[in-house]
């Protein structure tokens, strides 16, 4: 058994595992149940006995994506509205004041948890002598429903803020430094990181940020969020103004209505060749977010924060595999790219010419997925890099181009492929991430890079010095079979997005 630690709410004990002390399922806020459903997280009232934190606790209610869980090796987990727990891996509960890394999971703001198998913090904590924290937060309608009748909003995002406050106030007792906190997350977790960078409510709660495959363009305006909320209520069979009805609805019914809305806005859209939209995401409510995160960052909201920002080279191939359809012809691809950019014909021709000049595949499928990935992830990342580098020179850019062996290589360097290398858990998901000497080397380099950044704000390692981001040269460190620095990588395609987004 690991040492008993006194937190502000009460004492906890964890387990000793391979030289680490691990505390799973620490409550960081009051359970958001009964009258606290659809309410901003309240402080935990505390407890008298020592809480057993040797096992993970319940995750936020969700409809699991079974295909994705199978791909990543994730087993089913217990679910409950009482889900506001976090997990800590630490080399020791002493006064060493180690860097702290707080992971915010992704999953389109509707699935995932801090206890997913790929997010095991043991390798990072051991390798870097850091404290790793992973968190749960409310998802879907329970986390992001926005209606005037509810009076409060952004429950899931404010859960993240509550978790960061817990870290600030308690992490010294777990051997961490509350003055050196890095937040990092992928996909919806990366969007969360960027949203926290743009939120006045999160200011001062972290010092470094790593948004992975998620940037600052994904906030939703108040009016549009209300519209989504009204559509959700129609599917649930509750009037949008009936706060009591929403409070008393069963979790099963909420998840069913949420899944129908998500299917309409995500998967039906993809099958129809339209750009998918997440119905639940951070809301520009005038309080948590006063404007789109990218604009807040551009105005200097995160000026004291060092940032490591990037994505993968073939992000959209994961989504294409999840919604299998016939490969598009040129006309189909141009129609989709019209929706992405406004001038699909011009965009298609630029991508085709650039890919052919580099000797890359230039089929309609390759062109469409490349453009879609750029619109969703790479261009927003570059806009965020430009915005933050105006205020903090410790701004750095990466791109992953390691390729997954899964589906005979069809996934390429797709969305989420960086996660197992960041955590050193690639061997758990070898079918997806790959294995062998090169995969092990990439995991070691990636962990050392993230750890160096968490320690100092500079991702450079002894083997790989990094250039700072500059909006002119756009120097990017590419991580894959080998690591290299590229200047203005894929410049032809990137130039096509000037004035867009």
């Amino acid at each position: 058994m690991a040492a008993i630690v006194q937190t502000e709410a009460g004492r906890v004990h964890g387990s000793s595992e391979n030289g680490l002390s691990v505390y799973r399922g620490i409550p960081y806020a009051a359970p958001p149940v009964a009258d606290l459903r659809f309410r901003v997280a309240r402080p935990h009232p505390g407890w008298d006995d020592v809480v057993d934190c040797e096992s993970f606790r319940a995750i936020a209610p969700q409809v699991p994506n079974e295909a994705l869980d199978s791909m990543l090796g994730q087993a089913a987990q217990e679910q409950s509205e009482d889900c506001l727990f976090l997990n800590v891996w630490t080399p020791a509960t002493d006064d060493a004041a180690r860097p702290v890394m707080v992971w915010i999971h992704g999953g389109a703001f509707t699935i995932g948890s801090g206890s997913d198998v790929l997010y095991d913090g043991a390798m990072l904590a051991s390798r870097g002598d850091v404290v790793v924290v992973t968190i749960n937060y409310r998802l879907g309608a329970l986390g992001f429903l926005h209606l005037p009748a509810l009076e409060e909003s952004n429950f899931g995002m404010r859960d993240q803020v509550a978790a960061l406050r817990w870290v600030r106030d308690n992490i010294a007792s777990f051997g961490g430094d509350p003055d050196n906190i890095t937040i990092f997350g992928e996909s919806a977790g990366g969007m969360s990181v960027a949203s926290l960078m743009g939120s006045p409510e999160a200011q001062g709660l972290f010092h470094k940020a790593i948004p992975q495959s998620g940037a600052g363009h994904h906030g939703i305006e108040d009016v549009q969020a209300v519209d989504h909320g009204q559509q959700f209520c129609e599917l649930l069979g509750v009037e949008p103004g009936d706060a009591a009805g929403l409070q008393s609805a069963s979790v099963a019914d909420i998840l069913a209505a949420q899944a129908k809305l998500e299917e309409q806005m995500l998967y039906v859209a993809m099958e129809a060749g339209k750009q998918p939209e997440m119905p639940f995401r951070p809301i520009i409510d005038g309080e948590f977010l006063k404007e789109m995160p990218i604009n807040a960052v551009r105005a200097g909201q995160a000026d004291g924060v060092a940032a490591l920002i990037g994505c993968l080279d073939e992000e959209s191939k994961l989504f294409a595999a999840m919604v299998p359809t016939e490969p598009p012809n040129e006309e189909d691809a141009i129609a989709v790219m019209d929706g992405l950019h406004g001038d699909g014909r011009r965009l298609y021709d630029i991508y085709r010419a650039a890919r052919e000049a580099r000797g890359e595949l230039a089929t309609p499928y390759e062109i469409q997925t490349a453009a879609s990935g750029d619109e969703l992830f790479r261009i927003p990342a570059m806009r965020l890099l430009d915005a933050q580098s105006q205020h903090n020179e410790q701004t750095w850019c990466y791109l992953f181009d390691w390729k997954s062996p899964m589906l005979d290589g069809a996934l390429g360097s797709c969305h989420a492929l960086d996660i197992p290398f960041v955590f050193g858990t690639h061997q758990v998901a070898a079918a997806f991430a790959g294995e062998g000497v090169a995969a092990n080397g990439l995991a070691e380099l990636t962990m050392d890079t993230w750890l160096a950044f968490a320690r100092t704000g500079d991702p450079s390692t002894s083997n790989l010095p990094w250039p700072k981001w500059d909006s002119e040269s756009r120097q990017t460190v590419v991580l894959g079979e080998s690591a290299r620095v590229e200047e203005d990588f894929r410049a032809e395609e990137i130039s096509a997005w000037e004035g867009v987004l």
Side-chain angles (χ1 to χ4, degrees):
M1 185 174 81
I4 292 175
V5 174
Q6 178 73 51
T7 73
E8 291 198 334
R11 293 171 296 163
V12 298
H13 81 77
S15 56
S16 296
E17 301 172 17
N18 301 315
L20 296 174
S21 294
V22 185
Y23 299 80
R24 297 179 173 91
I26 302 176
Y28 69 81
V33 300
D35 291 345
L36 294 185
R37 177 192 277 184
F38 299 127
R39 288 289 177 266
V40 174
R42 304 317 199 235
H44 200 287
W47 53 86
D48 295 324
D49 297 331
V50 179
V51 170
D52 179 352
C53 292
E54 294 192 16
S55 302
F56 290 122
R57 302 285 290 276
I59 67 174
Q62 57 195 267
V63 180
N65 185 316
E66 294 179 0
L68 193 61
D69 284 350
S70 176
M71 180 187 297
L72 302 179
Q74 179 59 52
Q77 302 181 74
E78 177 193 354
Q79 299 183 19
S80 171
E81 280 192 86
D82 180 5
C83 64
L84 299 186
F85 304 106
L86 54 76
N87 316 295
V88 178
W89 288 259
T90 181
T93 53
D94 53 21
D95 59 359
R98 298 170 180 83
V100 180
M101 301 179 71
V102 180
W103 175 255
I104 302 171
H105 72 80
F109 297 103
T110 55
I111 59 173
S113 75
S115 50
D116 284 1
V117 65
L118 291 187
Y119 311 150
D120 188 304
M123 289 291 289
L124 274 176
S126 295
R127 188 175 183 89
D129 191 33
V130 301
V131 179
V132 178
V133 179
T134 67
I135 69 172
N136 293 347
Y137 56 96
R138 280 173 284 179
L139 301 171
L142 290 167
F144 295 89
L145 186 63
H146 183 67
L147 291 166
L150 297 179
E151 298 181 350
E152 297 179 351
S153 68
N154 270 317
F155 317 114
M157 293 307 304
R158 285 168 159 146
D159 291 344
Q160 296 175 17
V161 171
L164 290 173
R165 289 194 183 114
W166 184 96
V167 171
R168 177 196 63 193
D169 296 340
N170 293 280
I171 207 65
S173 298
F174 293 84
D177 182 357
D179 294 320
N180 188 5
I181 294 170
T182 298
I183 57 172
F184 65 133
E186 184 270 347
S187 192
M191 297 172 196
S192 294
V193 168
S195 296
L196 293 165
M197 290 173 70
S199 173
E201 292 185 13
Q203 191 167 23
L205 292 175
F206 59 94
H207 312 93
K208 305 177 182 73
I210 313 177
Q212 302 172 211
S213 300
H217 289 74
H218 303 284
I220 184 170
E221 296 285 352
D222 175 276
V223 172
Q224 189 180 8
V226 170
D227 179 62
H228 292 177
Q230 291 169 342
Q231 293 179 56
F232 167 80
C233 287
E234 184 176 342
L235 293 166
L236 182 63
V238 173
E239 289 296 320
D242 183 5
L246 288 165
Q247 285 281 9
S248 62
S250 73
V251 171
D253 288 346
I254 287 172
L255 289 179
Q258 172 184 309
K260 289 176 186 174
L261 182 60
E262 191 174 25
E263 182 178 8
Q264 291 171 11
M265 297 183 67
L266 277 174
Y267 301 110
V268 173
M270 279 194 279
E271 288 170 353
K274 298 177 182 176
Q275 193 69 343
E277 183 180 4
M278 294 182 297
F280 302 105
R281 56 188 196 270
I283 304 139
I284 302 168
D285 59 0
E287 295 177 354
F288 176 79
L289 285 174
K290 296 181 184 297
E291 57 189 328
M292 195 69 76
I294 182 67
N295 294 331
V297 171
R298 192 174 286 126
Q301 177 63 47
D303 61 357
V305 176
L308 174 60
I309 302 167
C311 60
L312 293 106
D313 194 34
E314 298 175 300
E315 292 269 3
S316 285
K317 287 189 174 179
L318 178 67
F319 310 123
M322 289 168 64
V323 186
T325 56
E326 288 296 314
N329 58 32
E330 183 171 318
E331 183 180 345
D332 295 334
I334 289 170
V336 170
M337 292 164 75
D338 263 332
L340 301 178
H341 180 275
D343 189 346
R345 175 79 262 176
R346 174 174 170 268
L347 190 67
Y348 186 93
D349 289 344
I350 289 171
Y351 272 70
R352 178 171 59 187
R355 295 180 71 86
E356 287 175 346
R358 292 192 298 263
E360 298 171 350
L361 286 174
T363 63
Y365 169 78
E366 293 288 345
I367 292 169
Q368 178 184 312
T369 54
S372 177
D374 284 348
E375 192 268 348
L376 277 170
F377 299 105
R378 185 144 191 248
I379 301 304
M382 295 177 77
R383 300 285 188 266
L384 188 60
L385 284 155
D386 289 343
Q388 183 63 0
S389 62
Q390 296 176 35
H391 303 282
N392 193 320
E393 66 173 11
Q394 285 192 303
T395 304
W396 321 81
C397 179
Y398 74 87
L399 184 78
F400 261 78
D401 73 350
W402 176 266
K403 295 185 185 300
S404 170
M406 188 170 272
L407 301 179
D408 296 323
L411 294 177
S413 52
C414 71
H415 192 67
L417 189 57
D418 52 334
I419 298 170
F421 295 99
V422 166
F423 279 90
T425 52
H426 59 293
Q427 293 173 340
V428 176
F432 175 58
E435 55 189 335
V437 173
N440 294 341
L442 177 59
E444 290 173 359
L445 174 60
T446 305
M447 284 190 288
D448 288 345
T449 297
W450 265 235
L451 289 163
F453 178 78
R455 192 167 295 280
T456 68
D458 183 337
S460 299
T461 64
S462 58
N463 297 326
L464 183 62
W466 280 57
K468 291 176 174 140
W469 178 257
D470 172 78
S471 297
E472 298 298 322
S473 64
R474 294 172 176 161
Q475 286 186 296
T476 299
V477 173
V478 181
L479 299 168
E481 285 278 353
S482 60
R484 64 190 190 277
V485 177
E486 292 275 2
E487 186 159 321
D488 215 0
F489 189 59
R490 302 201 187 286
E492 297 84 357
E493 293 99 312
I494 297 306
S495 66
W497 297 92
E498 292 300 326
V500 178
L501 284 181

